[in-house]
C-alpha cells in the first residue's frame, strides 16, 4: 500500500469513529461537543466515575476489575475458538524497579510448556493516568482474546518449524490485538457501560490517527506540532501523551500503522469468508486458521485463510 492510501484509510476511519463517539456522548447525556467531552473525561481526575483513587485500594481495584473482565472472557472463548491456550493468564502491577507513571500496559508471555503463566502488566504508580473507561479494552487487547491467546497458541504449536512458534510480525500481532478489542463486542457481558464503549472507540481511533499522523510526518511534510494538534483534535489524549506518541512515530516509521492495517485485513478476510461460505462459515474455524499457524505476514495469512475457505467448500 502507498502512503497516500494509508493516509486516506486513516482519515476515513477517524471520521467513522468520531461519529460513533458522538453517539455515545449523546447516550450519556453530555450536552457539549466532542472536544468538550474529551476535556470532561481527561481533566476530571478526582471523579471516581472516570478514575480510580490514587491509593493502594484504587490500585487493587484496577487489578481486581481487570481480572474479573478476563475471567468473563474465559467463559466466552469456547464459543469463538477451537484452539485454546494451555498457559493461564495473570494480571499484575509492574515491579517497582521498572514502573513508570502513565507508561503503557503490556503483555509478557509465559513458557511454551504452560508451566509459567502469561502476565498482563499494568503501571499503577499514577492512577490518574489509568482511566476506568480503558480498563476493559486494554485487558482484552493485552490479555484475552488478544496477545495472550495469540502468543500462547503460537508457542504451543507442534508440527511446525520451531521458529514459527516464536516469530513475530508487527501487522499480524498488533492487528490481532486490535481485532480482538472489536471482537469482544460480540461476547456476552462486555462494554456494557457506555463509558467503556467510549474507551473502546477511543482505543480504535488512536490507531486510526496513527495512520494519518505517521504518513503525514514521513510522506506529507507534517511538522511535529501539526501531528500533535491532529491527535488532540480527535482523542481525549493529553498534550504530553500526544507529543510522546508523535515522537515515537518520528523515530520508528511505519510501525504504528501495523495495528489498524492488520485489524482491517483480518476483518476483511472474515467478511470474505462469511460471504463465500454462507451457512458453512464457522467462526471457530476462522479464528483457528488465523491463530493456528503462528505469526506471519498479512499476505501469507490471506493465502492461508483462502486455502481454509477452499477446503471447507470442498468438504
Amino acid at each position: 500500500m502507498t502512503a497516500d492510501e494509508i493516509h486516506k484509510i486513516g482519515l476515513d476511519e477517524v471520521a467513522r469513529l468520531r461519529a460513533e463517539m458522538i453517539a455515545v456522548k449523546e447516550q450519556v447525556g453530555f450536552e457539549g461537543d466532542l472536544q468538550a467531552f474529551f476535556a470532561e473525561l481527561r481533566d476530571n481526575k478526582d471523579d471516581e466515575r472516570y478514575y480510580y483513587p490514587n491509593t493502594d485500594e484504587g490500585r487493587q481495584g484496577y487489578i481486581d476489575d481487570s481480572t474479573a473482565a478476563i475471567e468473563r472472557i474465559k467463559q466466552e472463548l469456547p464459543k469463538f475458538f477451537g484452539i485454546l491456550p494451555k498457559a493461564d493468564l495473570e494480571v499484575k502491577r509492574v515491579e517497582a524497579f521498572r514502573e513508570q507513571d502513565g507508561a503503557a500496559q503490556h503483555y509478557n508471555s509465559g513458557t511454551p510448556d504452560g508451566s509459567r503463566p502469561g502476565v498482563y502488566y499494568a503501571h499503577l504508580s499514577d492512577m490518574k493516568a489509568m482511566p476506568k473507561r480503558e480498563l476493559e479494552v486494554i485487558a482484552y487487547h493485552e490479555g484475552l482474546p488478544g496477545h495472550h491467546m495469540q502468543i500462547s497458541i503460537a508457542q504451543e504449536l507442534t508440527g511446525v518449524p520451531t521458529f514459527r512458534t516464536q516469530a513475530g510480525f508487527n501487522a499480524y500481532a498488533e492487528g490481532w490485538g486490535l481485532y480482538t478489542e472489536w471482537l469482544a463486542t460480540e461476547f456476552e457481558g462486555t462494554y456494557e457501560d457506555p463509558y467503556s464503549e467510549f474507551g473502546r472507540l477511543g482505543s480504535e481511533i488512536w490507531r486510526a490517527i496513527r495512520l494519518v499522523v505517521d504518513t503525514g510526518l514521513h510522506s506529507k511534510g507534517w511538522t511535529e506540532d501539526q501531528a500533535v494538534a491532529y491527535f488532540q483534535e480527535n482523542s481525549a489524549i493529553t498534550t504530553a501523551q500526544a507529543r510522546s506518541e508523535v515522537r515515537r512515530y518520528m523515530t520508528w516509521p511505519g510501525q504504528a500503522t501495523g495495528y489498524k492495517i492488520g485489524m482491517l485485513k483480518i476483518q476483511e478476510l472474515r467478511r470474505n469468508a462469511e460471504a463465500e461460505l454462507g451457512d458453512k462459515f464457522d467462526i471457530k474455524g476462522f479464528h483457528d486458521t488465523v491463530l493456528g499457524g503462528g505469526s506471519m505476514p498479512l499476505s501469507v495469512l490471506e493465502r492461508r485463510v483462502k486455502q481454509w475457505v477452499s477446503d471447507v467448500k470442498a468438504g
Side-chain angles (χ1 to χ4, degrees), residues 8-24 34 178-179 181-182 185 197-198 200-209 211-212 230 234 260 263-264 267 271:
K8 174 69 163 55
I9 289 168
L11 292 172
D12 291 346
E13 285 293 285
V14 167
R16 177 183 68 81
L17 290 159
R18 277 184 68 96
E20 293 190 31
M21 294 171 99
I22 289 168
V24 176
L34 192 56
L178 192 54
Y179 167 79
E181 295 180 16
W182 168 81
T185 64
E197 172 63 7
F198 195 86
R200 182 190 74 78
L201 293 170
S203 177
E204 189 174 349
I205 204 170
W206 186 303
R207 279 38 173 259
I209 290 166
L211 301 185
V212 178
Y230 184 82
N234 294 292
K260 198 75 175 73
M263 174 202 199
L264 291 170
Q267 289 176 317
R271 281 195 307 273

Side-chain angles (χ1 to χ4, degrees), residues 84-290:
L84 297 172
K86 297 183 181 72
D88 201 3
L89 174 66
E90 296 178 357
V91 182
K92 289 185 178 180
R93 180 180 179 178
V94 172
E95 302 89 346
F97 74 88
R98 66 187 185 98
E99 190 171 44
Q100 298 178 51
D101 289 358
Q105 296 96 309
H106 58 281
Y107 172 73
N108 202 47
S109 59
T111 48
D113 64 1
S115 60
R116 188 182 72 231
V119 180
Y120 161 39
Y121 277 111
H123 292 263
L124 302 178
S125 50
D126 178 15
M127 294 306 297
K128 302 307 180 187
M130 304 290 284
K132 286 183 176 180
R133 67 182 181 276
E134 296 175 1
L135 179 144
E136 272 192 78
V137 70
I138 297 173
Y140 303 151
H141 180 113
E142 301 295 344
L144 291 171
H147 289 322
H148 175 68
M149 189 107 184
Q150 163 227 325
I151 291 171
S152 294
I153 286 172
Q155 287 192 149
E156 294 162 8
L157 289 175
T158 58
V160 299
T162 304
F163 84 89
R164 287 182 58 185
T165 71
Q166 299 294 320
F169 292 88
N170 179 59
Y172 172 94
E174 296 301 353
W176 175 260
L178 192 54
Y179 167 79
T180 60
E181 295 180 16
W182 168 81
L183 174 66
T185 64
E186 300 179 10
F187 292 11
E188 288 185 28
T190 58
Y191 305 123
E192 291 182 332
D193 180 342
Y195 288 101
S196 286
E197 172 63 7
F198 195 86
R200 182 190 74 78
L201 293 170
S203 177
E204 189 174 349
I205 204 170
W206 186 303
R207 279 38 173 259
I209 290 166
R210 286 174 170 176
L211 301 185
V212 178
V213 169
D214 186 292
T215 52
L217 289 165
H218 295 292
S219 180
K220 296 183 177 296
W222 282 26
T223 65
E224 180 181 341
D225 286 344
Q226 257 182 294
V228 169
Y230 184 82
F231 228 121
Q232 293 196 278
E233 285 165 20
N234 294 292
S235 71
I237 196 171
T238 66
T239 303
Q241 284 176 311
R243 200 164 293 281
S244 172
E245 280 287 307
V246 167
R247 288 179 176 175
R248 166 183 163 179
Y249 314 150
M250 290 165 73
T251 57
W252 201 1
Q255 189 275 340
T257 64
Y259 297 68
K260 198 75 175 73
I261 296 300
M263 174 202 199
L264 291 170
K265 175 54 73 174
I266 295 170
Q267 289 176 317
E268 175 198 318
L269 294 175
R270 176 173 161 179
R271 281 195 307 273
N272 292 345
E274 287 171 336
E276 283 204 51
L277 293 175
D279 291 344
K280 287 186 174 180
F281 178 81
D282 173 32
I283 191 65
K284 294 183 188 180
F286 173 76
H287 287 147
D288 289 356
T289 301
V290 173

Side-chain angles (χ1 to χ4, degrees), residues 46-121:
D46 295 321
D47 191 328
E48 292 197 10
R49 287 178 300 167
Y50 306 144
Y51 294 88
Y52 291 83
N54 200 23
T55 62
D56 286 343
E57 290 76 16
R59 294 177 182 93
Q60 190 59 48
Y62 193 96
I63 290 172
D64 291 346
D65 290 349
S66 296
T67 301
I70 287 167
E71 289 301 317
R72 281 198 306 275
I73 287 290
K74 284 181 182 176
Q75 308 309 310
E76 293 288 300
L77 292 179
K79 301 175 188 175
F80 291 84
F81 299 90
I83 306 171
L84 297 172
K86 297 183 181 72
D88 201 3
L89 174 66
E90 296 178 357
V91 182
K92 289 185 178 180
R93 180 180 179 178
V94 172
E95 302 89 346
F97 74 88
R98 66 187 185 98
E99 190 171 44
Q100 298 178 51
D101 289 358
Q105 296 96 309
H106 58 281
Y107 172 73
N108 202 47
S109 59
T111 48
D113 64 1
S115 60
R116 188 182 72 231
V119 180
Y120 161 39
Y121 277 111

